[in-house]
Amino acid sequence: MNGFDPDGVEAERICVVPKSVEEEYFSESEKVHPWPWYVYGRAFFEGVGAEFREIEGQLQMLLDEVVYEVDEFAPCSMRKMYTVGRRAIHRFEEIPEFKDIDKEYKDANYFGSIAPFVHQMLGRCLVRCQEIEKNLSNSFIFCAPQKNKPEGKTISDLQAEWKRLTFGQLVKMIKNDWEMVPEVEGALDLFKNSRNLFVHRLCTDPRYDISTRWGVMEFLPFLQFFDLQTKIVMRASEASVAASISLALHRFGAPEGFNSELLDDEHDERVALFFETFWIKGEPWPKSEEDTESV
């Protein structure tokens, strides 16, 4: 029909076009072809519920769950970029306060239920980021390999230097001497990249603008996924602290007043997790129980 072969047409999404939108579209110009045919003009997409924004000079359109890059509203000038998730959209639409998101952030006197939730998630992720960085910077077991340790420097000297490193530099230093299981290495790299966005520009990035419904629909799923990433890396960082404590006790003995009750079953599980996850480059893995005890 109209030159279209059914075998040569693919549908990205199926959209219900309200009768009023269809009638208005065909009444605008006598040159408009009957369906099926290409669609021209922004008005049609506005009528079926599309949202629009501009980022770095590029117009974007959100229609249903798909984000398109738009040069002009004409065939071959709109390209799919990514999806934000149909389930997320439906869940948001079920929240009455979400419909007032524009009002919520523009009116200082309005305080709905979305803002506290966003702020709570931001705070939780920020605290966990700081805990992870503190754990890793204090895990002097990562300084233990001797091959790259500068002559005349103690573990305390190296640990002090580590605390001045950026998180990316810290990860690079760890990878210089240590191997790790692929799941943890992948989670650490993903966390590093997401952390940079989270810490430096998440709340000011146009894509995650929390003053708009569209921005919140991308902002909250990012935070939920980032929250999951931090949990994985948090476990690894806690394991490295426990292994550092065990290493210090083995090499230097317990300091005066040390609370031995800290060395409970949870501590032992974290130490075991560390040596199941990390091993010094050039050494076999997994370590035997005898090797673990001799560290």
Side-chain angles (χ1 to χ4, degrees), residues 136-205:
L136 292 180
S137 63
N138 283 291
S139 298
F140 59 81
I141 193 170
F142 288 127
C143 303
Q146 299 295 312
K147 58 183 179 180
N148 291 327
K149 191 168 86 171
E151 187 176 350
K153 288 195 175 183
T154 65
I155 288 179
S156 296
D157 294 332
L158 292 173
Q159 187 182 12
E161 291 179 1
W162 275 40
K163 290 182 178 181
R164 294 193 291 268
L165 297 176
T166 66
F167 186 77
Q169 292 171 331
L170 188 63
V171 171
K172 183 178 180 180
M173 291 290 289
I174 292 173
K175 288 185 175 183
N176 282 342
D177 287 332
W178 292 83
E179 299 281 5
M180 61 193 81
V181 294
E183 294 83 358
V184 171
E185 183 173 11
L188 194 60
D189 288 336
L190 190 59
F191 170 76
K192 179 187 70 174
N193 295 333
S194 299
R195 171 204 167 276
N196 289 339
L197 172 61
F198 174 79
V199 171
H200 297 295
R201 63 182 189 280
L202 179 64
C203 293
T204 58
D205 191 304

Side-chain angles (χ1 to χ4, degrees), residues 235 238-240 242-243 246 264-278 285-287 289 292:
R235 288 195 63 197
E238 290 173 339
S240 67
S246 292
D264 53 12
D265 291 342
E266 184 178 5
H267 172 85
D268 293 341
E269 289 174 1
R270 288 176 175 175
V271 173
L273 176 62
F274 178 84
F275 288 108
E276 290 173 1
T277 305
F278 298 91
W285 180 86
K287 289 179 175 293
E289 194 170 308
T292 303

